Amino acid sequence: MTLIDAGPTGSLRVAPSILAADFGALASAVHEIDSETDWLHVDVMDGHFVPNVSIGPPVVQSLRPYSTKFFDCHLMMSEPGRYLEAFAKAGADGCTVHVEVGGTESLIRDARVLGLRVGLAANPDTPFERVAPFLGDIDLLLLMTVFPGFGGQSFMGEVMTKVSAARREVEEHALALDIEVDGGIDLATTPIAVRAGANVLVAGSAIFGRPHPLDAARALRDAAMASRV
Ligand code: DX5
Ligand code: ZN
């Protein structure tokens, strides 16, 4: 199992979320945006941690031969520990678990043992203090800018306080940590998130929901680059 490199930590990246793509044509959707994609964001929903179900390891496995990009799997699951190995075997390169489900230390350890890049996610109403103790042990902090479960929701600007706090921690302690935002990211909200300190931008509707996803992905990247302070 060869893992795909995530690229330099802290660099600006666009991660299209396949949740907004046509599930009947995922391979071609992914192929179409390949040249403007850094990571591919895979939203996994278990119908328990969030009120929706989406995709699991078999889809990751089926999609793997069609993309050379880093698979950034966002596990919106109550019991992610039961599935980490299955995702690793299916071709996930990184897995992000939610801090709200607890057992964070052992989840981080288990993901490391499997060779995965490790992410920790926090819902919009989860205080920064919940994730702060783990920042030195993870590769990515995902600060949700909507309540997880559905694409197409509105960006919650108040989460930028946490994004800035995370960026300050990274700078003060020279942490090797990516700061990712997810939910309602589009051309209008990208500058807000990047200026606050986010460097990985997940976007579903703003890419796959557009008539020309490749152009939309390129425009998003340009907006992000132009906003970098
Ligand atoms: C929300 C998911 C997101 C979602 C974002 O539960 O974690 O990744 O796909 O969708 P948009 O970009 O449409 O808000
Ligand atoms: Zn997501």
Side-chain angles (χ1 to χ4, degrees):
M1 188 169 37
T2 317
L3 289 170
I4 291 167
D5 189 59
T9 304
S11 63
L12 211 47
R13 297 192 194 88
V14 175
S17 164
I18 60 171
L19 188 66
D22 175 358
F23 279 11
L26 272 184
S28 56
V30 163
H31 181 71
E32 190 188 342
I33 52 143
D34 192 65
S35 62
E36 290 296 329
T37 304
D38 300 304
W39 292 3
L40 207 63
H41 187 79
V42 180
D43 281 310
V44 179
M45 304 178 180
D46 68 351
H48 188 263
F49 180 69
V50 288
N52 197 5
V53 287
S54 57
I55 57 186
V59 175
V60 171
Q61 191 173 355
S62 299
L63 213 46
R64 191 66 278 185
Y66 294 95
S67 173
T68 56
K69 305 297 174 178
F70 179 89
F71 276 12
D72 170 38
C73 296
H74 176 194
L75 308 187
M76 289 164 271
M77 312 179 88
S78 297
E79 295 190 74
R82 292 178 61 182
Y83 303 94
L84 285 172
E85 189 174 359
F87 277 103
K89 282 191 174 148
D93 301 299
C95 279
T96 296
V97 298
H98 271 260
V99 71
E100 295 84 6
V101 303
T104 303
E105 269 174 46
S106 61
L107 287 170
I108 293 173
R109 209 167 36 237
D110 292 353
R112 287 261 176 252
V113 168
L114 290 163
L116 291 163
R117 206 168 186 270
V118 185
L120 186 63
N123 283 342
D125 59 354
T126 297
F128 183 67
E129 291 65 36
R130 285 284 300 277
V131 294
F134 303 106
L135 299 185
D137 304 323
I138 56 175
D139 303 303
L140 172 139
L141 176 66
L142 166 53
L143 293 166
M144 291 303 300
T145 39
V146 297
F147 282 96
F150 300 91
Q153 304 181 75
S154 298
F155 176 82
M156 297 170 70
E158 57 269 38
V159 176
M160 295 307 102
T161 317
K162 288 194 285 185
V163 172
S164 305
R167 181 53 64 197
R168 271 197 303 276
E169 288 288 311
V170 166
E171 279 164 14
E172 275 171 28
H173 304 287
L175 300 174
L177 181 71
D178 285 308
I179 302 174
E180 181 176 61
V181 284
D182 181 7
I185 298 296
D186 59 19
L187 286 177
T189 57
T190 285
I192 301 170
V194 171
R195 283 191 205 115
N199 71 285
V200 184
L201 303 153
V202 175
S205 316
I207 294 178
F208 290 115
R210 294 289 142 89
H212 302 291
L214 182 65
D215 294 344
R218 189 176 296 132
L220 211 60
R221 179 199 298 280
D222 290 348
M225 294 293 227
S227 317
R228 191 117 221 225
V229 279

